[in-house]
Amino acid sequence: MKQNLKAITHMYDTVAREWAVQFAAEHQHKAKDREVLLRFSEDLQGRQPVWDLGCGPGATTAYLKKLGVEASGLDLSAKILEQARNAHPGILFQQGDMLKLGFSDATIAGIVAFYAIVHFREQQVETAFQEIFRVLEAKGVFLCSFHIGEGSIHLDEFLGKKVDIEVIFFPVAFIHRCLKDIGFRQIEIIEREPYPGVEYQSRRAYVFATKPSR
Ligand SMILES: C[S@@+](CC[C@H](N)C(=O)[O-])C[C@H]1O[C@@H](n2cnc3c(N)ncnc32)[C@H](O)[C@@H]1O
């Protein structure tokens, strides 16, 4: 069964303001986020363009800018994009679907997707990774994060609002196999324990993957 994109859009439209307030300074509390984003910025070696897919209110997009990477953000939710544009007026934020990217083949240098796949079923994760592979140029860099595990949890309430959404956990081996089968190389998955008091208590993974030259 596919996770309904309307349900995802509705959930983030509903919690947009609260999400933006709650997670505005997230990276301050997450050393590993900062470390992998710095490494991503170095791997890019100044290449452009760079997109933050499932950018939410834009905290990661803005953090990349601080690191000297002029990234743009893409998200399904119009309301969350309003929050992103208000908070970060110098950055381009665009509405779009990472399962069906509007970019031409091999035109993007780098893509970040922090927790953007957390509502996808396995088949949708494959579709998203295929799309990312398609639009990345040769030697393009992909950095993604997700919750490690199996199965899902259902949320009826989030940040004080009524919602109806699944959050899905993925085994590291599934994500690795999926990227490899699509053609990504130099796949590296870094795991960490959750930070107490600042986030949901699940194990996390960061994935670096590169599109080969040929
Ligand atoms: C868990 S939030 C993560 C937001 C942000 N990257 C962060 O780390 O704070 C997931 C985000 O992905 C977006 N999203 C989910 N499915 C999407 C899709 N198919 N295309 C674009 N954005 C999507 C949601 O609207 C939401 O803003």
Side-chain angles (χ1 to χ4, degrees):
M1 195 179 69
K2 287 187 181 176
Q3 174 94 275
N4 183 341
L5 292 189
K6 277 197 183 147
I8 299 174
T9 309
H10 184 256
M11 140 99 181
Y12 286 96
D13 279 352
T14 305
V15 300
R17 191 194 302 249
E18 292 74 11
W19 180 285
V21 171
Q22 178 99 357
F23 299 110
E26 234 197 334
H27 302 296
Q28 279 176 15
H29 311 291
K30 300 191 179 189
K32 204 68 183 177
D33 281 21
R34 299 196 300 273
E35 187 186 314
V36 295
L37 289 167
L38 177 62
R39 176 174 153 187
F40 175 78
S41 72
E42 290 168 352
D43 287 355
L44 278 171
Q45 298 180 317
R47 284 175 293 154
Q48 289 281 337
V50 177
W51 281 85
D52 177 10
L53 304 184
C55 62
T60 300
T61 337
Y63 192 79
L64 284 170
K65 188 170 175 141
K66 268 202 213 163
L67 296 173
V69 177
E70 295 289 334
S72 306
L74 180 138
D75 204 282
L76 273 182
S77 158
K79 296 273 186 219
I80 220 151
L81 287 168
E82 263 173 36
Q83 297 294 329
R85 290 181 188 121
N86 287 342
H88 311 292
I91 297 178
L92 171 70
F93 291 100
Q94 190 170 296
Q95 195 167 23
D97 179 3
M98 59 189 281
L99 298 173
K100 214 175 175 183
L101 290 169
F103 309 130
S104 302
D105 295 359
T107 53
I108 310 294
I111 288 180
V112 170
F114 264 23
Y115 303 103
I117 64 169
V118 299
H119 306 297
F120 290 168
R121 304 284 172 195
E122 289 192 353
Q123 200 194 339
Q124 290 171 310
V125 172
E126 284 172 23
T127 305
F129 288 174
Q130 276 160 358
E131 272 296 83
I132 289 164
F133 190 83
R134 178 182 70 75
V135 302
L136 277 177
E137 63 187 25
K139 299 194 178 158
V141 190
F142 177 39
L143 169 61
C144 167
S145 63
F146 65 95
H147 299 276
I148 302 173
E150 291 191 17
S152 63
I153 51 170
H154 185 263
L155 298 182
D156 303 310
E157 188 271 333
F158 190 57
L159 300 174
K161 301 271 177 149
K162 217 173 148 227
V163 299
D164 178 12
I165 196 91
E166 301 287 313
V167 177
I168 301 174
F169 301 84
F170 299 105
V172 168
F174 162 73
I175 297 289
H176 192 281
R177 189 177 61 245
C178 197
L179 290 163
K180 187 162 177 275
D181 289 351
I182 288 166
F184 281 100
R185 293 297 175 259
Q186 294 169 257
I187 301 164
E188 187 185 346
I189 303 190
I190 301 156
E191 299 182 35
R192 72 162 169 87
E193 297 299 328
Y195 294 121
V198 293
E199 62 186 5
Y200 182 78
Q201 294 298 286
S202 59
R203 276 179 64 73
R204 313 292 173 112
Y206 304 89
V207 183
F208 279 95
T210 304
K211 180 168 173 172
S213 305
R214 52 197 333 258

